[in-house]
Amino acid sequence: MNIIEMIDRFISNIPDSLANIDKLIREEDWKQVFEAVHKMKPSYHFMGIHSLSDIIIKVEKNTFHKTDISSIAQDFEIIKRITAQSIEELKSEKE
């Protein structure tokens, strides 16, 4: 798989993953939130979106240990916002 295919896969798959995590957060299914966030973490690294590394790790930690639950939704909103910006930048770079 070449880089363009990887970018296309990220652009097409991540929004669905984020929507699923959003739903899981509303349902307070912390185990599934942890697993979903953990699963998508390498995609961000591969795409070079390192600005989200710390916040993704924070969400992983808080969902795994069920600590600081009140910050999870707020932190996830930041992840969604930066992801949307990153997707737009990736789309522009492809053109």
Side-chain angles (χ1 to χ4, degrees), residues 24-53:
L24 294 169
I25 288 172
R26 287 192 309 275
E27 294 171 354
E28 298 183 5
D29 188 342
W30 306 125
K31 182 178 187 287
Q32 292 298 316
V33 172
F34 168 78
E35 290 176 4
V37 170
H38 184 73
K39 183 178 177 184
M40 58 180 224
K41 184 169 58 171
S43 298
Y44 284 92
H45 180 73
F46 184 80
M47 288 294 118
I49 309 171
H50 303 292
S51 61
L52 287 176
S53 294

Side-chain angles (χ1 to χ4, degrees), residues 1 17 20 31 38 53 61 63 65 69 75 80 95:
M1 183 175 307
S17 296
N20 181 53
K31 182 178 187 287
H38 184 73
S53 294
K61 180 181 144 230
T63 55
H65 295 290
I69 296 298
D75 290 339
K80 290 191 315 185
E95 295 172 358

Side-chain angles (χ1 to χ4, degrees), residues 61-85:
K61 180 181 144 230
N62 288 341
T63 55
F64 185 81
H65 295 290
K66 296 177 184 74
T67 55
D68 200 11
I69 296 298
S70 61
S71 73
I72 294 171
Q74 182 180 6
D75 290 339
F76 189 66
E77 288 301 317
I78 295 168
I79 292 170
K80 290 191 315 185
R81 181 175 40 81
I82 293 173
T83 300
Q85 293 168 350

Side-chain angles (χ1 to χ4, degrees), residues 2 4-5 7 12 14 26 31 36 55 57 62 64 75:
N2 68 35
I4 298 298
E5 291 170 330
I7 292 169
S12 64
I14 287 294
R26 287 192 309 275
K31 182 178 187 287
I55 199 159
I57 291 168
N62 288 341
F64 185 81
D75 290 339

